[in-house]
Amino acid sequence: MVKALSDTYLTFKTIFTGMGITFRHLFTKSVTVQYPVQRDVLPERVRLKLHVNIDDCIGCRLCERACPVECIDIGTIKSTDDVDLGETSTGHKKKLWVDKFDIDMAKCCYCELCVHPCPTDCITMVEEYEYSVYDRNDLIFPFSDMTPEQIEEANRKLEEEAEAKSRKKEEAMLAKKKKAEAQAAGGEADGDKPKDAASGGSTEAGGSAETGGEEAGGEGAGTEKSGTGKSDAEASGDGDADAEKAARRAEREARRAARRAEREAKKKSE
Amino acid sequence: MQQFLESFLPAGPVVVFVFSIIPLMIILIYALFAIWLERKVAGHIQDRLGPMQTGGWHGWAQTLADLLKMIQKEDIVPAKADRFLFKMAPFIAFAASYAAFVAIPFSSGYIGSMIDIGVFYIVAITSLLSVSIIMAGWASNNKWSLLGAMRTAAQTVSYEVPTVVTILSVIIVTGTLNLMEVTEMQTGNAFLGFLPSWLIFHSPFMVIAFVLFFIASLAEAHRVPFDLPESESELVGGYQTEYSGMRWGLFMLTEYADMLLLSLVGATLFFGGWNSPFGSFMDGPVWGAFWMLFKGMVLVFVMMWLRWTLPRLRVDQLMNLCWKYLIPLSFVNLVLIALWEMIF
Amino acid sequence: MTNVKENRPGPEVTLSPPVDAGNGLKTQEMVISMGPQHPSTHGVLRMELTLNGEIVTRAIPHIGYLHRCFEKHSEAMNDYAKVIPYVDRMDYVAAMNNELGYAIAMERLMDIRVNDRVEYIRVIMSELQRIASHLLAVGTFGLDIGAFTPFLYCFIEREKILDIFEKASGARLLYNYIWIGGLMNDVPADFKTDTAAFVKSFRPKIKELNDLLSHNKIFIDRTANVGVLPEKVAINYGVSGPSLRGSGVEWDLRKDDPYSIYDRFEFDVIVGQGEMGTVGDCWDRYIVRVWEMEESLKIIEQALDQMPDEGDVQEAVPKKIRPPAGEIYCRTETPRGELGYYIISDKSTTPFRVKARAPSFVNLSVLPAISIGAMVADMVAIIGSIDIVLGEVDR
C-alpha cells in the first residue's frame, strides 16, 4: 500500500517534472534553420563538392592515386616540344595536356584524400551542395577544357614527334655505328667518344618522357613523393603511355647499341 | 436550432440532413486544425517549428495538402487480406466515433439528439471502435497488426471500466444521464460566490474523478502513454500497418475525433460544457459553442502535451495500472462522492 | 524446386506443438520477423522472434544486411591511409573513435610518435565523439520506449558537436580527420572556445535529460529489471563497453589498458549499480551512458587546459606508409566497447589484412541470451540498450 502510494506520487511527480520541461521548451526559441530561405554559414573547410581548377593541373595523377573509391579519372597527353603549356599559378611547369579529368561525385566519399597530395592545389572542395540530378551519369563532372579536336591534334602531334624522334635516333645511331666502325677501323682505342654520343642521344630521347613526372612531384613534396610522381608518370595508362613506351624503348635500344659498339670497338682494339 | 433551420429550409429530410451533418463538419474542421496543432505543438516542444511552408502562414494548409495526397494514393489491400473486413474496418471506426457526437451538447442551442441516456449511449457506441480495430488487425493478415489488435481488445475492455465508473460518480451528483441537463445544472456561480458551478469544483473527490477519467480517456483514445495498439516503435504501426492512403486517413481522423469526443465529454461532465466561465458574461448559444469547443481543445492540447513528454507503457503495466490502480480507486471514489452527496 | 526454407541460414526454428485451449481452439507459438525494416532495430537487424502471445520464447538475430566487405576493401587499397574512409563507415555514429583506433594501431606498427598537440586534439575529438554517440544511443533508446521528445533534445546537442567537427575537419559524420601519424588539419583558431562553450552549455542538458527521461517513472518501469545481463554472462559473451559496465564490471580500456594519453586524465569508470532494479538491466546500461557523457566532459575540460598551443599536427605523418613486415593487434575503447584492429603488413604499401573486432557485433551476440521471457516491447528496449550500430555489426 505504501509502495503503491509512493509509486503513484513518484509517477505524478516525474510526469509533471517532464511536462514542466516540455512546457518550457514550448516557448524557447526553435533551432530550425528554414533551409531554402535561411542558410547556415558553412565553415571554411567544409567538404561538399570537388572542384578542379584545370588551368593549374599538371596531370600528375596524385589525386587519382589517392582516391579510395576510384572516382577520379584522368587522361593526359604528353605535349610536344613546339607547344608551351605555360606555368601554373604556383609556378609549376606544365608538360602534359590533360585531355580528361572526370570526377564522379556519385562515387565520391568526400574523404578529401585527393586534395592533400596535389602539388599545385588545383583540386579543392568547394562550398556547393545543391547538385542533385535525376540521372546518376549527370554526377560525373568533366573538368578538362580540351575539345575533341584539340585532343586529336595533341595526339597527332605527339605521334609525329615520336616518329620524328625515333627517326632521328635511328639516324644518330646509324651515324654512331658508322663512326664507331670507322674508329674501329682506324685502330684508335678511343672508347670515350662513342659513349658520350650515345648517352647524349639517350637524354634527348627519354628526357621529355620523364620530366613530366619529375615536375609533378619534385617540387611539391619530399623525396618519397617525388618517387611516386615519377613512377606515376611512367606507369600512366592512357593515350600518352604508348608514346612514352616507344620513346623509352628507343632510348634503351640506343643505349644497348652504343654499348655493343663500344664492346666491339674494345675487342677489336685488343 | 432545429426550428431555426426549419424556418428557411424547405423540407423535413433536408433539415434533418443539415442538422446531422453539423457534427461531421465540426469533426472535419477540427481534425484539420488538430492535426496541424499537434504538429505545431510537437514542433515547438521539440524546439522545432513544425510545418511552415504549406499555405503561407505557419503552414496552416499542411493537413489539407496531406489530405489531398492521401486521397490520391493507391488503395492497397494486401493479397492475403480479408478484403471485405479490411475495407470495412476504417468506416466502422469512424462511424463509431461520429455516431457518439450525437449526444454531445455543443451549445445550449444545439445537440444532435436529446436522448435521456446520453452518456450511456456514448460509452456504448464508442465500444464499436475496438471492434473495428480488431477487424482491421485481423483482416490485415499481418502478425504485427494482430498483436496490435489483441492489445486494443484488452486495453479498451479494461479501460472502459474506470471510465464508466468515474462517469457514474458524476451521474450520482447530477442525477441524469442526459448531457444537456448535466450542462444546464452547471450554470451560474454557486461555489464561493465567484467559482463557476462546474462539477469539478463540487467536491475534492470530483478532482480525483476527473484525473481518473482523463487517464482512462487517454487510454480509450489510444494516446501516449497508452498508445500501445499503434506503438510505432514496437509494432511498426499496430493495426494500421497495412493501411495506406485514405483508409489510413480515416483511422487517423477517428483517432482525433475520439480525442475530441472524450475531451468534450470531460468538458461537459466536469467543466460546465457550454457554460461561460464568467457567469452570464459571454454567454449565449454562439458563445456556448465557442466555450464548449475551447474547453475541449484545451483538454486535447493537454493530451498532445502529454504525448510529447511521456514514454509508452508496456502492455502488462497498462493492465496493472488499470486493474490495480484505476479501477479500485474509481470505486472508492464513487463511494466517497456518494457519501459527500449524502452529507451535503 | 528447392525449398527456400532449407536454404535459409541459421538454426531451424521448431515450434512447440499446438496446445488445446479447451474450447475447440488451439493455440500455438508464432514466429514473427522483426526487421530488417522494423523502426526499432537500429538499422537493418532482423530478429526472428518466436512468440507465445507477447512473450518471447526465442530470439535469433540475423545479420548481414549491411555487409560492405570492409576487410576485403582494405586489402584492395594500395595505401594504408586509404583505409581510413572505410574505417569511418564501420561505426558511422562514432567515426572519430574508429579512426583513432586504426591510427594508433598503425602508429604502433610503424613505431611513430606523435606530438602532444596531436594527442590532445585526438583525445578531445574522440571524447566529443563519445558524447555525440552516447547522445544518439540515449535518444534513440528513449524513442524505442516511446518518448519522442528527448530524442530531439539529444540531437540538438549532438548537432553542436557535429558543428565543432565540421569546423575542424569539414565533414559532419565521416571525418577522415585522424590520420596515421597526425591529423588532417590543425584545429581552427576558435576550437578551444567553441569546445569550452559546448562543455559549459551541455552540463545542464544532462540534468534536463535525467529529469525528462531517466527518472521518469514510466521509463523506469519500462527499463528496470528488463533484459538483465548478469556479470558472468556478459564476460562469457565478450560484451564490452557501456553494456559490460552496466552489468557492474569495471572495465574501461581507457583506464585498464591506456592508449594515447588517457593515463593523464582524471575520470571515473561508471558502472551500473542496479539503482532502479537489478544490476545489468536496461536502465543500468542506459544510465551508464548518461553518466559517461559527464566523465567525457571532465576529460575534455582537462585536455583543453593541458593542450599545448604549438605543434605541427602533420609532423609525424609519413610521406609513404610502408610499415615493416609484421602484425599488430591494438584495441581502443569506442562508445560501443572494445574496438580492436588486427593488421598484418607484408612490407608493401598495401595492407595484407585488416581485421576489425567490432564491439557491436560481439555485444549483439548476447541478445538471444537475455531476451528469453521478455515481451515484444522489452525486446525493443533490450536492442536499444545494447546500442548496436549495424554498420559495425556487418562491416
Side-chain angles (χ1 to χ4, degrees):
Chain A
M1 185 70 190
V2 177
K3 194 180 174 295
L5 277 178
S6 73
D7 273 3
T8 315
Y9 167 72
L10 205 63
T11 311
F12 277 101
K13 192 186 149 224
T14 49
I15 286 176
F16 284 126
T17 320
M19 283 175 83
I21 290 169
T22 41
F23 197 69
R24 212 166 48 240
H25 274 276
L26 195 54
F27 298 104
T28 40
K29 207 173 160 296
S30 82
V31 292
T32 310
V33 178
Q34 290 201 273
Y35 159 59
V37 189
Q38 301 167 7
R39 274 152 206 267
D40 262 349
V41 181
L42 295 175
E44 197 185 331
R45 290 171 185 168
V46 84
R47 314 200 304 232
L48 296 166
K49 190 183 171 216
L50 279 171
H51 176 78
V52 180
N53 181 5
I54 198 68
D55 292 339
D56 274 1
C57 182
I58 53 173
C60 65
R61 290 160 183 272
L62 282 176
C63 48
E64 193 184 21
R65 267 181 64 89
C67 182
V69 291
E70 294 166 8
C71 76
I72 305 175
D73 188 5
I74 300 176
T76 49
I77 303 170
K78 197 156 67 68
S79 68
T80 42
D81 290 344
D82 57 331
V83 204
D84 183 19
L85 286 173
E87 280 188 351
T88 65
S89 57
T90 46
H92 291 73
K93 191 128 178 61
K94 287 167 80 173
K95 292 279 175 111
L96 297 164
W97 291 105
V98 182
D99 67 326
K100 187 176 175 198
F101 201 126
D102 291 354
I103 297 182
D104 188 349
M105 289 311 285
K107 276 190 195 167
C108 178
C109 72
Y110 304 88
C111 63
E112 215 182 66
L113 279 175
C114 53
V115 173
H116 292 265
C118 182
T120 63
D121 291 335
C122 72
I123 181 164
T124 43
M125 282 282 184
V126 288
E127 204 177 297
E128 190 197 328
Y129 48 92
E130 288 160 322
Y131 53 94
S132 306
V133 289
Y134 284 99
D135 185 357
R136 197 174 292 176
N137 291 326
D138 293 346
L139 282 172
I140 302 173
F141 291 93
F143 286 100
S144 174
D145 54 0
M146 283 178 80
T147 57
E149 291 81 40
Q150 281 175 314
I151 294 171
E152 206 179 308
E153 201 195 330
N155 271 326
R156 187 177 49 76
K157 271 190 174 170
L158 184 70
E159 265 167 42
E160 276 174 11
E161 199 189 58
E163 229 170 80
K165 269 190 185 156
S166 60
R167 211 182 305 126
K168 213 165 136 194
K169 221 170 292 156
E170 269 168 34
E171 278 167 15
M173 227 156 22
L174 275 177
K176 264 177 243 154
K177 248 185 197 166
K178 270 183 193 162
K179 218 177 184 181
E181 275 166 19
Q183 277 169 359
E188 287 176 33
D190 191 3
D192 290 339
K193 237 182 182 177
K195 204 169 154 195
D196 274 353
S199 57
S202 83
T203 4
E204 218 179 332
S208 50
E210 277 181 8
T211 34
E214 265 169 4
E215 284 288 332
E219 281 150 59
T223 41
E224 292 263 15
K225 270 189 183 167
S226 114
T228 337
K230 200 170 180 177
S231 66
D232 267 336
E234 278 170 6
S236 55
D238 286 309
D240 57 337
D242 294 343
E244 271 183 39
K245 263 184 206 158
R248 264 201 302 279
R249 208 178 303 126
E251 180 201 338
R252 259 201 310 278
E253 269 164 22
R255 218 179 285 140
R256 221 174 284 148
R259 264 201 299 274
R260 210 183 298 129
E262 200 183 321
R263 264 203 306 281
E264 278 170 17
K266 264 190 184 167
K267 227 185 239 172
K268 276 184 184 169
S269 69
E270 279 165 9
Chain B
M1 185 86 183
Q2 198 154 8
Q3 287 93 37
F4 171 69
L5 286 171
E6 271 163 359
S7 65
F8 64 88
L9 285 172
V14 179
V15 172
V16 171
F17 181 73
V18 172
F19 197 69
S20 57
I21 212 87
I22 289 174
L24 184 63
M25 290 295 124
I26 292 174
I27 295 173
L28 289 178
I29 293 168
Y30 146 82
L32 287 183
F33 174 70
I35 293 172
W36 173 82
L37 183 73
E38 172 107 58
R39 285 174 170 164
K40 287 310 240 191
V41 167
H44 284 279
I45 277 181
Q46 294 162 355
D47 291 354
R48 297 183 286 122
L49 289 171
M52 287 299 278
Q53 299 295 318
T54 325
W57 184 82
H58 283 266
W60 67 270
Q62 186 62 50
T63 328
L64 271 179
D66 282 345
L67 189 73
L68 283 177
K69 181 201 77 178
M70 281 195 291
I71 290 172
Q72 287 172 32
K73 275 178 91 167
E74 188 190 348
D75 179 24
I76 299 171
V77 181
K80 294 271 177 72
D82 187 327
R83 292 184 75 87
F84 178 71
L85 289 183
F86 186 86
K87 287 186 168 179
M88 280 303 289
F91 298 113
I92 291 183
F94 183 65
S97 55
Y98 173 46
F101 278 90
V102 80
I104 298 281
F106 280 99
S107 104
S108 54
Y110 179 79
I111 181 167
S113 170
M114 276 287 256
I115 39 177
D116 286 337
I117 50 160
V119 193
F120 181 66
Y121 165 78
I122 290 175
V123 170
I125 200 95
T126 45
S127 303
L128 261 183
L129 187 65
S130 55
V131 175
S132 76
I133 288 177
I134 293 168
M135 268 168 74
W138 177 258
S140 298
N141 197 15
N142 176 324
K143 287 168 181 171
W144 295 111
S145 303
L146 187 63
L147 278 177
M150 272 159 46
R151 285 180 176 190
T152 317
Q155 181 177 340
T156 321
V157 168
S158 308
Y159 274 84
E160 252 164 29
V161 182
T163 318
V164 171
V165 175
T166 45
I167 289 177
L168 193 61
S169 51
V170 179
I171 301 304
I172 287 177
V173 179
T174 60
T176 172
L177 286 167
N178 188 331
L179 281 172
M180 195 59 138
E181 283 169 24
V182 171
T183 318
E184 275 161 6
M185 281 181 67
Q186 303 180 50
T187 318
N189 291 346
F191 301 119
L192 307 171
F194 64 93
L195 280 179
S197 54
W198 296 350
L199 284 172
I200 186 110
F201 303 119
H202 182 263
S203 69
F205 305 116
M206 273 315 223
V207 180
I208 299 175
F210 171 68
V211 171
L212 293 176
F213 174 80
F214 188 71
I215 294 173
S217 67
L218 276 177
E220 289 265 298
H222 311 309
R223 294 289 293 184
V224 169
F226 310 107
D227 65 335
L228 289 106
E230 299 148 43
S231 53
E232 209 253 329
S233 61
E234 296 157 20
L235 297 187
V236 191
Y239 63 93
Q240 303 172 348
T241 309
E242 298 289 351
Y243 282 89
S244 68
M246 209 47 221
R247 283 180 208 285
W248 179 83
L250 271 176
F251 274 125
M252 191 79 173
L253 189 63
T254 313
E255 187 191 324
Y256 280 88
D258 245 32
M259 275 166 75
L260 180 68
L261 177 75
L262 289 157
S263 300
L264 287 181
V265 171
T268 316
L269 289 179
F270 297 96
F271 294 102
W274 39 258
N275 282 305
S276 159
F278 313 113
S280 56
F281 177 63
M282 294 171 88
D283 210 0
V286 181
W287 277 115
F290 166 76
W291 284 119
M292 183 69 176
L293 290 174
F294 176 76
K295 286 167 186 169
M297 287 313 292
V298 169
L299 289 181
V300 166
F301 170 76
V302 176
M303 285 183 175
M304 290 175 179
W305 181 11
L306 274 171
R307 173 171 178 182
W308 299 110
T309 306
L310 296 179
R312 179 186 307 120
L313 284 169
R314 202 170 55 209
V315 66
D316 56 329
Q317 291 161 351
L318 181 90
M319 291 296 145
N320 266 350
L321 176 68
C322 181
W323 293 101
K324 292 189 184 165
Y325 290 83
L326 291 184
I327 292 180
L329 256 179
S330 58
F331 273 110
V332 170
N333 204 40
L334 174 75
V335 173
L336 288 173
I337 287 178
L339 284 175
W340 180 281
E341 198 58 20
M342 273 171 69
I343 295 164
F344 296 97
Chain C
M1 241 177 84
T2 50
N3 188 350
V4 180
K5 225 176 177 184
E6 275 172 13
N7 295 334
R8 190 184 55 179
E12 193 66 35
V13 175
T14 44
L15 297 176
S16 61
V19 183
D20 202 325
N23 47 4
L25 297 173
K26 282 185 175 166
T27 60
Q28 196 181 10
E29 286 178 336
M30 176 165 82
V31 177
I32 192 162
S33 191
M34 186 171 171
Q37 297 100 346
H38 191 279
S40 292
T41 52
H42 291 230
V44 285
L45 173 68
R46 181 177 149 235
M47 297 288 301
E48 197 177 315
L49 303 179
T50 312
L51 298 183
N52 176 10
E54 279 219 24
I55 314 273
V56 177
T57 54
R58 187 207 304 260
I60 306 165
H62 291 267
I63 59 169
Y65 291 92
L66 201 57
H67 185 57
R68 288 147 301 163
C69 314
F70 159 73
E71 289 177 19
K72 209 69 199 164
H73 266 307
S74 310
E75 288 163 27
M77 293 296 121
N78 56 4
D79 190 344
Y80 279 88
K82 285 159 86 169
V83 177
I84 295 178
Y86 286 92
V87 163
D88 277 342
R89 281 158 179 77
M90 285 198 329
D91 181 356
Y92 40 76
V93 296
M96 283 285 184
N97 298 77
N98 291 7
E99 288 166 14
L100 181 67
Y102 180 75
I104 287 176
M106 284 309 294
E107 281 157 18
R108 286 195 189 156
L109 186 60
M110 294 173 72
D111 204 18
I112 297 172
R113 286 282 157 81
V114 295
N115 61 32
D116 262 10
R117 186 174 167 80
V118 173
E119 293 278 28
Y120 276 102
I121 293 172
R122 281 179 175 185
V123 165
I124 293 171
M125 287 298 182
S126 49
E127 288 309 309
L128 280 174
Q129 181 75 81
R130 192 182 307 276
I131 295 175
S133 169
H134 279 345
L135 275 173
L136 189 118
V138 163
T140 49
F141 185 51
L143 190 63
D144 292 341
I145 303 300
F148 202 102
T149 305
F151 168 70
L152 280 149
Y153 292 167
C154 289
F155 261 60
I156 292 171
E157 297 308 311
R158 181 169 175 266
E159 205 69 3
K160 291 177 190 164
I161 298 176
L162 298 192
D163 281 343
I164 294 174
F165 287 160
E166 193 183 17
K167 263 188 179 174
S169 72
R172 296 178 71 81
L173 196 65
L174 306 161
Y175 313 100
N176 185 20
Y177 183 66
I178 296 174
W179 280 9
I180 298 163
L183 301 169
M184 172 191 248
N185 293 312
D186 202 343
V187 286
D190 50 1
F191 173 73
K192 268 189 172 182
T193 50
D194 277 0
T195 315
F198 167 75
V199 170
K200 195 157 170 275
S201 74
F202 185 59
R203 281 235 163 80
K205 301 286 177 185
I206 295 181
K207 194 190 168 299
E208 192 185 85
L209 179 72
N210 280 337
D211 284 345
L212 182 59
L213 189 64
S214 318
H215 293 131
N216 184 297
K217 191 74 176 65
I218 299 177
F219 181 75
I220 292 170
D221 281 349
R222 278 298 304 278
T223 52
N225 292 324
V226 166
V228 178
L229 174 60
E231 192 181 323
K232 280 225 171 84
V233 177
I235 292 171
N236 284 346
Y237 273 87
V239 175
S240 55
S243 303
L244 178 67
R245 292 192 283 276
S247 299
V249 184
E250 199 173 328
W251 177 256
D252 189 328
L253 289 176
R254 292 175 291 172
K255 273 260 198 267
D256 295 310
D257 183 12
Y259 52 93
S260 191
I261 48 164
Y262 275 106
D263 44 358
R264 298 185 201 174
F265 304 112
E266 287 283 320
F267 65 98
D268 298 327
V269 177
I270 308 289
V271 291
Q273 324 217 309
E275 274 169 79
M276 297 298 166
T278 326
V279 177
D281 56 13
C282 288
W283 196 83
D284 272 357
R285 287 195 283 275
Y286 161 85
I287 207 72
V288 162
R289 294 201 173 86
V290 174
W291 292 123
E292 258 180 31
M293 293 197 276
E294 182 82 40
E295 297 304 316
S296 290
L297 287 181
K298 279 188 203 163
I299 297 176
I300 293 169
E301 275 178 337
Q302 293 169 40
L304 281 175
D305 282 348
Q306 298 169 15
M307 188 172 121
D309 286 327
E310 296 301 317
D312 179 10
V313 293
Q314 291 216 322
E315 197 178 57
V317 176
K319 295 285 182 291
K320 187 94 190 151
I321 300 165
R322 197 187 287 274
E327 57 183 49
I328 188 142
Y329 180 77
C330 170
R331 54 186 186 171
T332 54
E333 182 81 20
T334 72
R336 259 147 269 284
E338 177 186 324
L339 172 70
Y341 285 103
Y342 178 57
I343 301 170
I344 305 180
S345 159
D346 57 358
K347 219 182 160 191
S348 72
T349 59
T350 305
F352 182 78
R353 178 91 203 267
V354 179
K355 191 229 181 301
R357 182 245 188 237
S360 291
F361 176 70
V362 182
N363 291 356
L364 178 65
S365 67
V366 84
L367 200 60
I370 61 174
S371 54
I372 306 298
M375 306 188 82
V376 177
D378 292 338
M379 206 59 227
V380 170
I382 294 168
I383 296 174
S385 74
I386 59 172
D387 186 26
I388 43 166
V389 168
L390 266 292
E392 194 181 45
V393 173
D394 292 340
R395 297 188 294 282

